[in-house]
Amino acid sequence: MTAEAAAGAAAGGGRGRFGSVALVIGGIVSLQFGSSVAVLLFPRAGALGVVTLRLVVASLVLLIACRPRLRGHSRGDWATVLAFGVALVGMNSLFYQAIDRIPLGAAVTLEFLGPLILSVATSRRLLSLVWASLALGGVVLLGREGFDGLNVAGAGYALAAGGLWAAYILLSARTGQRFPQADGLALAMTVAAVLSLPLGIAGAGAALLNPVTIGLGAAVALMSSVLPYTLELLALRKLPASGFAVMMSLEPAAAATAGFLVLDQALGWAEIVAIGLVVIASVGAVRSASRG
């Protein structure tokens, strides 16, 4: 390879990585502001009803846009799609139960412990224990000082959603490798929508057919599912898993900002410090793991 060709390849790779980073950040902002809009919709359809609206609308949009091919896939491909769909519906249902009970910033901070623990557990470096301790300190501060009377059930839902968030990251990357474009995401979202229907109908009933509710649910679907999941799936094709995880460390800060701007969930210094500790711990843990 000539020097000019090598330089061109390096420049192209740099642009590709920059574009992937922009995709991830765009997805983070869209997801968290979509979650804040979903909270405003809870009085109309309830948490599970909003989850159903979000997943059904998102699946329809993706199916129309992608028109995924149903034939020619292996059993392993379909198993990956089914697992991805289960992770999607579980993660979203648990997370919406959480933000129905506790502030958005607190919910995402607790939820983020799932990917953080996964990163620490897969690292063989002793420094990872420091990052884990730092994150634990942030969570303790968040529960004791950041939010008075933090709802125990809401915190539990957020932690459970975190476990499925870790699974989502792994399954999203695997799906992107097995299916072209966003076809795998469209199929997985359809699985998630079908699984959510009984819960949504039981929880919201006829409210799901209200035109205003459907319109708001469609907005939530586009902001919280279609756009961020598609951007993340595309980004994972060029961005290393470790780099993606570092970018995802911005989720708690983005959630706190969205909660403040949209839901008027004011932040004190204790909350800011707590969320900052978790973000720093996450970045440190991921970087340590990638160097191990």
Side-chain angles (χ1 to χ4, degrees):
M1 182 181 291
T2 64
E4 291 80 2
R15 287 193 295 270
R17 286 191 294 271
F18 178 79
S20 295
V21 169
L23 290 176
V24 175
I25 293 177
I28 289 172
V29 173
S30 179
L31 174 61
Q32 297 308 331
F33 277 85
S35 295
S36 63
V37 174
V39 173
L40 299 176
L41 188 54
F42 285 170
R44 286 181 169 271
L48 293 178
V50 175
V51 169
T52 297
L53 283 173
R54 169 181 168 179
L55 294 177
V56 168
V57 173
S59 66
L60 291 174
V61 171
L62 287 172
L63 286 174
I64 294 172
C66 299
R67 297 181 182 179
R69 182 168 51 87
L70 300 180
R71 295 181 180 180
H73 301 299
S74 67
R75 290 184 179 180
D77 294 340
W78 285 114
T80 299
V81 162
L82 289 173
F84 194 13
V86 171
L88 280 169
V89 68
M91 178 180 70
N92 284 291
S93 297
L94 290 169
F95 179 67
Y96 273 34
Q97 290 290 340
I99 61 176
D100 193 27
R101 293 168 172 81
I102 61 177
L104 182 60
V108 174
T109 301
L110 292 173
E111 184 192 26
F112 200 79
L113 289 182
L116 175 58
I117 291 174
L118 177 64
S119 176
V120 171
T122 55
S123 174
R124 297 180 180 178
R125 297 173 64 91
L126 292 178
L127 186 59
S128 295
L129 296 178
V130 175
W131 302 124
S133 300
L134 188 65
L136 179 61
V139 172
V140 170
L141 178 62
L142 186 67
R144 296 184 59 183
E145 301 292 340
F147 298 98
D148 296 332
L150 189 66
N151 183 277
V152 175
Y157 282 127
L159 291 172
L164 289 175
W165 190 0
Y168 159 79
I169 293 174
L170 298 174
L171 290 167
S172 179
R174 186 176 302 175
T175 300
Q177 294 169 356
R178 287 178 173 269
F179 292 84
Q181 300 303 319
D183 288 12
L185 175 62
L187 295 172
M189 192 70 71
T190 302
V191 172
V194 172
L195 292 176
S196 73
L197 276 174
L199 297 175
I201 293 172
L208 294 177
L209 301 177
N210 182 280
V212 175
T213 302
I214 293 175
L216 293 173
V220 171
L222 292 174
M223 295 176 66
S224 297
S225 293
V226 177
L227 186 58
Y229 293 161
T230 301
L231 293 179
E232 289 171 9
L233 187 146
L234 295 176
L236 279 167
R237 289 178 173 167
K238 294 184 178 180
L239 192 67
S242 59
F244 177 77
V246 169
M247 292 290 96
M248 296 297 284
S249 302
L250 298 173
E251 292 275 9
T257 302
F260 173 70
L261 294 176
V262 179
L263 303 174
D264 197 27
Q265 295 174 346
L267 296 176
W269 284 110
E271 296 100 308
I272 294 173
V273 171
I275 292 172
L277 288 175
V278 173
V279 170
I280 293 171
S282 179
V283 172
V286 170
R287 292 181 65 85
S288 296
S290 64
R291 291 173 180 174

